[in-house]
Amino acid sequence: MKQEWAPSGSQSVVSSVAARTSGRSNQPLESHVSIPTAVTATPSAEMPQHSMGDKPLVSMPQLVFPGPPSGTNSECEHTPPSKQVSLSAPLSQPLCQPEKCGPRAAQEVCYVAAEQPGEACGWRAFAPACLQAFNTPRGFLLFLSVASFLQGMTVNGFINTVITSIERRYDLHSYQSGLIASSYDVAACLCLTFVSYFGGHGHKPRWLGWGVLVMGAGSLIFALPHFTAGRYEVQVDEVVGTCGANRSSTCRDGASSLSSYRLVFMLGQFLHGMGATPLYTLGVTYLDENVKSSYSPVYIAVFYTAAILGPAAGYLVGGALLNIYTDISQQTELTTESPLWVGAWWVGFLGAGAAAFLIAIPILGYPRQLPGSQRYVVMRASETYQLKDSSHEVTSNPDFGKTIRDLPLSIWLLLKNPTFILLCLAGATEATLIAGMSTFGPKFLESQFSLSASEAATLFGYLVVPAGGGGTFLGGFFVNKFKLRGSSVIKFCLLCTLISLLASFIFLMHCPGVPMAGVTTGYNGSLLPEGHLEMMAACNIHCGCQPEHYSPVCGSDGLMYYSPCYAGCLEVAMPGPGGQKVYRDCSCVPQNFSSGFGHATAGKCTSTCQRKPLLLVFIFVVIVFTFLSSIPALTATLRCVSDQQRSFALGIQWIVVRTLGSIPGPIAFGWVIDKACLLWQDQCGQQGSCFVYQNSAMSWYLLIAGLGYKVLGSIFFAIACFLYKSPLGSSDGLEASLPSQSSASDNPSDLQEAPSALRIQSNI
């Protein structure tokens, strides 16, 4: 077996594809390059194809460049196979003289350097051989997936799980917690342009590694209020909550100052957003640059699946941590069913911060390009969306995009691409729903099914694990399995959006709320007008109850009461058969079986919703088809822009998605959910968090929001599919002809039939 090799120190160059694919070489491009010598070697069995030493030997296949037929450029003929240029023959002039071939031929002549320095995996001079086993796309995918898993678990898992506990602990409203959630996207918007523009032309793994470090610092700062706010103090004396007890209530000035800790939470989220910015721009393009075009959707799907499984793990782990009291070293008489209970919300952030510091170390050791990545440049270029103007000529310049002066032109070229703009708008509509429901989804389940915060978070995690993760992975799998290209990918996104739109009508149904005396139902059993509260009645007017003492109890008559005092209970709580506290002689609770007063059990009444299974099934369907279109939409975005603008295009897309979707999503959903509140916390005359929601109003508001955004998304996908223009040539034949990562023994005859401007031959 004989194969030609080029020495590391030489300036060997060969012609490549049209000018739009240039710019990926580490060597400057020259129009006239001379190769004085050529080294021919017969590699032995011990010689790897890509050496990791200081002077690697790079295997270069023969490249043949047929010129385009043109009547005006007749002097530039197709090179016959018998006169194809080999690397073993010295070159003293270009393959085609620009002055003879005209400007078009001059643009299509570019050179790719044979030398690929710095492809070893390591940290500067420290690059042990044992690490080179991870210097592959799969190895990088492993560490990048772990980083996205941590990001999803922290930002979209832990935070959404503990949002109710943080509201209760630090006296926050839902719209304030929505501001905390949106701070992540605000930071991302501010950093995306800078990171995607300069990071796209820089050392991507280093940008990614430093981003993970910043993200870990944000997690540690987010947990900081637990250590600076002091102990969580709450009255749990049973006597205080009963009728006739001493009602002296002291309102401390420092009680409302806890809400100022929202600024610390916003700072932690801001750092989360800064650190995660490179993940979904530079990380995606780095994977796409280093694998075959057909494998790219699968690699990206695995990456995004890890990002979806992260929130699922965050819901499960965060829900389990909420069963532990927030002050771990302190004993409390509160139970997890108590509305005053606050779990150990901060533990998960400490663990996530430490894990982020550890995973950043291997990511920082990866090279600028993985070994063998140059052979995939042509394949990506042949799929690129073709504009009718000269934009591809501008972006094909190897120096384009390396300075800040090219930034306005780069933005203008993307704004001129209608398919790209429509995909951005469609992504914004989906991001609004995802951000809103991921933030307040557990609260929706908690209200509809009368669950505790930890139970609601765990149930929501069970929905997200198979639905979100499975939908994301299947989206990339379907693109690869059915060879979806161009407009077919956008049609698939449109179909998924329409199916999830139809499934959203499930929000026409809702679970009936548990009747609460004085809020939804009168003490005599009559219904109260909406928004009309009658907390006091003849049965409890002599008790002198205070609204600051909220401790709901479930009466033996099936009604829920604000507290034992409002239920008129006289006796101190005694433990019942199930360990729950039971209050006796409650004057507002009628006795059903004998004379005298009834009793009440501590905690909310359980919900008997017959529609619970149906609601959960259709919510599952909505989540599946929402995430099923995520990877196909991302693939369509990567294929509708030029090769050099992919990182920057993803950055601009994320700015649009966050500005129009992720940032206003939690704020809008929090405002809508607050509108469905029936009973607010009263903190010495100041409004606190919401205690009781109206289930029907919450469902209707979510239905209206969901249908509105789904209809907009369907319209954007439909117009994008109509405006998308197929590329000049398909890459299927070329893709099959390129060597895989494990083999370079493709049939040269197949390469002759590849519908591309470049033909590659390997003499093996």
Side-chain angles (χ1 to χ4, degrees):
M1 181 175 65
K2 182 178 180 180
Q3 193 168 7
E4 297 174 351
W5 298 82
S8 173
S10 68
Q11 298 179 356
S12 301
V13 292
V14 293
S15 297
S16 181
V17 72
R20 63 177 177 271
T21 63
S22 65
R24 293 196 174 273
S25 173
N26 293 331
Q27 299 290 337
L29 302 179
E30 302 290 345
S31 59
H32 293 76
V33 179
S34 176
I35 302 179
T37 59
V39 179
T40 303
T42 303
S44 61
E46 292 79 5
M47 180 178 293
Q49 183 176 355
H50 299 285
S51 175
M52 295 301 169
D54 295 332
K55 297 182 179 181
L57 298 179
V58 182
S59 174
M60 295 299 298
Q62 293 181 354
L63 303 184
V64 183
F65 301 89
S70 175
T72 58
N73 301 325
S74 59
E75 296 181 20
C76 189
E77 299 293 335
H78 289 216
T79 303
S82 61
K83 296 184 180 182
Q84 292 170 357
V85 181
S86 173
L87 288 180
S88 59
L91 297 178
S92 59
Q93 59 183 3
L95 298 181
C96 185
Q97 295 292 343
E99 61 272 11
K100 294 183 179 181
C101 302
R104 176 176 177 84
Q107 293 172 359
E108 294 197 0
V109 176
C110 61
Y111 298 92
V112 178
E115 181 182 0
Q116 297 293 332
E119 289 187 346
C121 181
W123 303 271
R124 295 188 181 275
F126 181 72
C130 60
L131 293 179
Q132 307 315 314
F134 296 96
N135 197 19
T136 62
R138 293 184 180 181
F140 184 79
L141 177 64
L142 171 64
F143 295 112
L144 194 66
S145 298
V146 174
S148 66
F149 180 87
L150 288 175
Q151 182 271 338
M153 182 175 64
T154 305
V155 177
N156 301 319
F158 287 152
I159 290 178
N160 298 335
T161 301
V162 305
I163 204 73
T164 304
S165 300
I166 290 178
E167 289 178 2
R168 187 176 302 145
R169 175 67 177 88
Y170 299 98
D171 304 333
L172 302 178
H173 292 181
S174 292
Y175 80 90
Q176 291 175 325
S177 58
L179 286 174
I180 295 174
S182 297
S183 299
Y184 170 86
D185 299 290
V186 172
C189 283
L190 295 178
C191 300
L192 271 169
T193 302
F194 174 80
V195 171
S196 61
Y197 186 75
F198 291 102
H201 297 279
H203 197 294
K204 293 184 180 67
R206 291 179 184 173
W207 283 83
L208 290 165
W210 283 107
V212 175
L213 290 176
V214 173
M215 189 171 60
S219 298
L220 298 181
I221 291 178
F222 199 92
L224 187 62
H226 171 76
F227 302 97
T228 59
R231 278 198 258 171
Y232 177 53
E233 298 179 358
V234 62
Q235 286 182 316
V236 294
D237 190 358
E238 294 87 351
V239 177
V240 176
T242 57
C243 180
N246 185 11
R247 298 297 148 205
S248 59
S249 177
T250 59
C251 292
R252 296 170 295 176
D253 295 336
S256 60
S257 65
L258 290 174
S259 61
S260 62
Y261 276 102
R262 69 182 183 276
L263 300 177
V264 181
F265 293 133
M266 293 174 68
L267 175 61
Q269 276 284 76
F270 197 88
L271 293 179
H272 282 154
M274 290 179 59
T277 298
L279 275 179
Y280 300 100
T281 53
L282 305 183
V284 171
T285 53
Y286 190 80
L287 287 175
D288 188 61
E289 291 168 358
N290 289 278
V291 297
K292 292 178 69 173
S293 180
S294 60
Y295 294 161
S296 178
V298 178
Y299 274 74
I300 297 175
V302 172
F303 168 67
Y304 270 87
T305 301
I308 298 301
L309 294 179
Y315 283 117
L316 299 178
V317 176
L321 292 174
L322 290 182
N323 290 322
I324 305 173
Y325 189 59
T326 182
D327 296 319
I328 298 179
S329 60
Q330 302 296 323
Q331 297 292 330
T332 181
E333 297 181 6
L334 290 174
T335 62
T336 55
E337 289 78 16
S338 173
L340 302 177
W341 173 270
V342 175
W345 60 270
W346 50 274
V347 176
F349 294 97
L350 294 182
F357 282 106
L358 293 177
I359 198 61
I361 297 176
I363 295 178
L364 287 170
Y366 273 88
R368 182 187 294 265
Q369 287 182 332
L370 294 179
S373 61
Q374 283 290 82
R375 59 175 173 261
Y376 304 125
V377 174
V378 181
M379 178 168 46
R380 292 193 305 271
S382 63
E383 285 188 349
T384 302
Y385 170 85
Q386 301 294 328
L387 295 175
K388 291 185 177 180
D389 54 18
S390 59
S391 300
H392 66 282
E393 299 178 3
V394 177
T395 57
S396 64
N397 188 343
D399 295 326
F400 177 77
K402 294 184 178 180
T403 61
I404 194 67
R405 292 176 299 178
D406 295 329
L407 179 60
L409 181 58
S410 298
I411 297 176
W412 175 245
L413 292 178
L414 292 177
L415 293 179
K416 290 168 59 179
N417 191 332
T419 305
F420 172 76
I421 296 298
L422 290 168
L423 289 176
C424 291
L425 294 177
T429 59
E430 296 294 306
T432 304
L433 298 176
I434 293 175
M437 284 305 298
S438 62
T439 303
F440 298 103
K443 178 175 286 190
F444 174 79
L445 299 180
E446 179 181 350
S447 176
Q448 292 289 324
F449 306 140
S450 297
L451 303 175
S452 64
S454 61
E455 292 173 339
T458 303
L459 178 59
F460 196 72
Y462 287 146
L463 288 175
V464 172
V465 169
T472 301
F473 180 79
L474 288 177
F477 175 78
F478 288 151
V479 172
N480 176 262
K481 179 68 175 179
F482 300 109
K483 306 296 183 184
L484 300 180
R485 295 291 185 268
S487 61
S488 299
V489 179
I490 305 178
K491 290 178 182 178
F492 181 81
C493 297
L494 176 61
L495 177 63
C496 295
T497 305
L498 292 175
I499 295 177
S500 59
L501 185 151
L502 296 177
S504 300
F505 281 98
I506 190 60
F507 288 106
L508 288 172
M509 303 171 56
H510 64 273
C511 291
V514 177
M516 187 172 185
V519 180
T520 60
T521 307
Y523 283 87
N524 56 0
S526 61
L527 294 177
L528 292 178
E530 182 179 344
H532 183 69
L533 301 180
E534 291 183 359
M535 302 300 299
M536 303 304 298
C539 59
N540 60 18
I541 195 171
H542 62 281
C543 296
C545 303
Q546 297 292 330
E548 290 81 10
H549 303 145
Y550 176 68
S551 180
V553 293
C554 184
S556 56
D557 58 345
L559 289 180
M560 188 168 65
Y561 295 86
Y562 190 89
S563 69
C565 179
Y566 282 95
C569 301
L570 296 175
E571 291 187 10
V572 179
M574 299 296 293
Q580 294 178 315
K581 297 183 178 71
V582 179
Y583 297 87
R584 306 289 180 181
D585 294 335
C586 302
S587 59
C588 296
V589 182
Q591 179 60 264
N592 297 329
F593 303 105
S594 61
S595 60
F597 300 127
H599 64 276
T601 305
K604 298 179 181 179
C605 296
T606 59
S607 174
T608 57
C609 181
Q610 303 295 332
R611 303 168 181 172
K612 180 178 179 180
L614 188 62
L615 273 172
L616 293 178
V617 168
F618 275 87
I619 292 175
F620 181 88
V621 173
V622 172
I623 297 175
V624 166
F625 282 94
T626 297
F627 284 93
L628 193 63
S629 63
S630 58
I631 299 302
L634 181 63
T635 303
T637 302
L638 291 173
R639 299 296 176 259
C640 75
V641 296
S642 62
D643 188 62
Q644 284 193 331
Q645 283 196 299
R646 295 191 180 192
S647 295
F648 186 61
L650 288 184
I652 296 298
Q653 184 181 55
W654 277 111
I655 290 177
V656 176
V657 167
R658 283 174 163 85
T659 303
L660 302 180
S662 301
I663 293 177
I667 300 175
F669 272 73
W671 179 79
V672 165
I673 289 177
D674 281 344
K675 289 296 181 182
C677 183
L678 291 176
L679 181 62
W680 290 94
Q681 181 184 16
D682 189 350
Q683 296 177 322
C684 300
Q686 295 184 355
Q687 191 180 82
S689 58
C690 183
F691 283 148
V692 180
Y693 292 94
Q694 186 179 11
N695 289 346
S696 59
M698 183 183 292
S699 296
W700 272 102
Y701 291 148
L702 293 180
L703 174 64
I704 294 173
L707 289 180
Y709 282 106
K710 285 293 183 181
V711 169
L712 287 176
S714 301
I715 294 175
F716 292 141
F717 278 129
I719 300 176
C721 181
F722 176 76
L723 295 179
Y724 183 88
K725 299 177 181 62
S726 300
L728 297 178
S730 173
S731 67
D732 295 341
L734 175 65
E735 181 178 323
S737 66
L738 286 176
S740 64
Q741 296 177 10
S742 60
S743 175
S745 59
D746 297 279
N747 190 352
S749 61
D750 297 336
L751 300 160
Q752 300 290 341
E753 301 174 0
S756 170
L758 174 66
R759 299 182 181 180
I760 302 178
Q761 289 185 343
S762 289
N763 293 335
I764 299 178

